[in-house]
Amino acid sequence: LPYVPHVPPMALLGKVTATTFALEKPLCVFEGHADASDAVWLAVAFANASATFRNPRSRADVPPYKQLPTARSYMTLETAAAAYSCSAPSPPVLRVGADTACRDQGRQDPCNGPLPSPGPYRVKFLLMGCGGPKAETRWSEPILLRRAVPPSTIDPAPARRGSDVVVIASVLASLGAVLATAVLGALG
């Protein structure tokens, strides 16, 4: 399919973080290709591994999240195809890497765990039926996550104030004291 997944262009808190990113949902993309029993998956791969990614033949062959460091790709966010229909009422974005419990789970279920490095990553949506893959989108452009600032580069001391700021603050404090004294004198 000609659709290319992408990070939403609108302003969005946490659109790209150190371990997650948001994607626009592929609404209306699978119309005419999907049956009621089909599912849409998201394939996530390191950008340099997307060319070697092979679509699984069945749900049992879906590469799990825990193999990302070695396999360089995994699949997640299994969703009924109906959730991506033109009439589906839902939030307009998906969050990739949002399930922090994945790291500690020993299960084989598809997991949407935090991404382990800044990437870059590429993603595509894959429509799968009982007999295997039925349709797929193109790969996204590379998505680079934010990098955390090393704590050693943060200056723990507050910035020093210039003498101008100190003089202005002193004058304002003095004027406030004079005004308060004048008000109390007028009332008393």
Side-chain angles (χ1 to χ4, degrees):
L1 302 173
Y3 179 81
V4 177
H6 57 278
V7 174
M10 64 196 154
L12 183 66
L13 286 176
K15 182 167 38 176
V16 177
T17 70
T19 59
T20 67
F21 60 89
L23 281 178
E24 277 192 1
K25 281 190 175 177
L27 299 177
C28 302
V29 171
F30 301 104
E31 296 287 320
H33 299 280
D35 294 327
S37 61
D38 293 344
V40 176
W41 288 80
L42 180 71
V44 180
F46 284 100
N48 60 1
S50 61
T52 59
F53 179 85
R54 298 292 170 249
N55 292 339
R57 294 178 188 239
S58 70
R59 189 182 192 288
D61 297 330
V62 167
Y65 166 76
K66 69 180 186 175
Q67 291 181 357
L68 176 61
T70 54
R72 314 288 294 157
S73 62
Y74 73 104
M75 288 175 61
T76 188
L77 297 175
E78 178 185 19
T79 306
Y84 296 124
S85 69
C86 295
S87 61
S90 61
V93 296
L94 300 169
R95 169 116 1 237
V96 179
D99 188 357
T100 57
C102 288
R103 288 185 176 167
D104 302 325
Q105 294 174 352
R107 60 188 176 107
Q108 290 288 339
D109 294 348
C111 205
N112 184 25
L115 299 168
S117 73
Y121 297 93
R122 296 179 82 189
V123 297
K124 73 175 180 177
F125 290 96
L126 178 64
L127 175 67
M128 288 185 63
C130 296
K134 293 176 74 175
E136 64 186 292
T137 66
R138 295 182 184 193
W139 284 101
S140 68
E141 292 298 317
I143 300 168
L144 186 63
L145 302 182
R146 294 185 182 271
R147 294 175 192 254
V149 176
S152 61
T153 63
I154 300 172
D155 185 9
R160 298 190 185 268
R161 303 279 184 219
S163 59
D164 296 344
V165 173
V166 172
V167 169
I168 292 171
S170 299
V171 169
L172 290 174
S174 299
L175 287 175
V178 170
L179 182 62
T181 305
V183 169
L184 289 175
L187 292 174

